[in-house]
Amino acid sequence: MTKHRDTGQAIAELAILLPVLMLIVLGCLDLGRAYSVWVVLCNATREGARYASIYPYTAEDGSPSLPRIIARTQADAQAEGITLRAEDIQVANSVAVDQPVTVSASYDLQLMTLYLFGGGPVRIRARTEMMIITGVRS
């Protein structure tokens, strides 16, 4: 009787399964990164909407405080490690008291798994809506 050697079979199985396992691991990392970015965007838009609901106008001339709302949203995202451009943030209905104000933000995230296959970034969006508080003008 002859003795069979199985060492080559184990290496062949590893060579077949390793790319699949690496894609699964990278996919899990990408999912975690995307969720983290979404949470940061939600918090930043919430902070911008909260600021807009309390301070919808500038103190000097009563005009809408859009630059301040955008700056507040950018600062909150920056504190969490994400840099948002002003054009990535939209503020809607920021001047009418007793009306909702909506702050939206978007961020392009390059995923590792899509990068391997030549794909582009994925746009992640968040939106928060709050009511402007009556009688507050500052």
Side-chain angles (χ1 to χ4, degrees):
M1 229 187 248
T2 61
K3 190 174 182 183
H4 293 280
R5 298 180 70 185
D6 294 333
T7 56
Q9 178 183 354
I11 292 174
E13 289 174 358
L14 179 65
I16 291 171
L17 288 178
L18 192 59
V20 175
L21 292 175
M22 290 302 292
L23 275 176
I24 291 172
V25 168
L26 287 177
C28 289
L29 289 174
D30 279 344
L31 184 63
R33 287 178 57 226
Y35 182 72
S36 176
V37 167
W38 179 75
V39 168
V40 169
L41 287 180
C42 284
N43 289 338
T45 57
R46 188 177 304 119
E47 179 63 24
R50 186 192 68 79
Y51 184 81
S53 71
I54 296 172
Y55 306 108
Y57 305 100
T58 59
E60 299 84 36
D61 58 358
S63 62
S65 61
L66 292 177
R68 291 182 182 180
I69 296 168
I70 290 172
R72 189 72 166 226
T73 305
Q74 285 175 318
D76 193 80
Q78 183 67 40
E80 296 294 326
I82 292 181
T83 303
L84 291 176
R85 300 172 302 176
E87 49 274 0
D88 292 334
I89 301 168
Q90 296 81 33
V91 180
N93 300 334
S94 66
V95 293
V97 175
D98 291 333
Q99 295 295 317
V101 60
T102 303
V103 179
S104 305
S106 60
Y107 183 77
D108 292 331
L109 177 66
Q110 180 65 51
L111 299 177
M112 291 181 282
T113 50
L114 291 179
Y115 182 76
L116 291 174
F117 299 109
V122 173
R123 178 158 289 204
I124 299 176
R125 296 183 180 118
R127 184 182 80 120
T128 302
E129 183 175 296
M130 289 187 183
M131 294 295 290
I132 294 178
I133 298 172
T134 306
V136 176
R137 286 184 71 111
S138 59

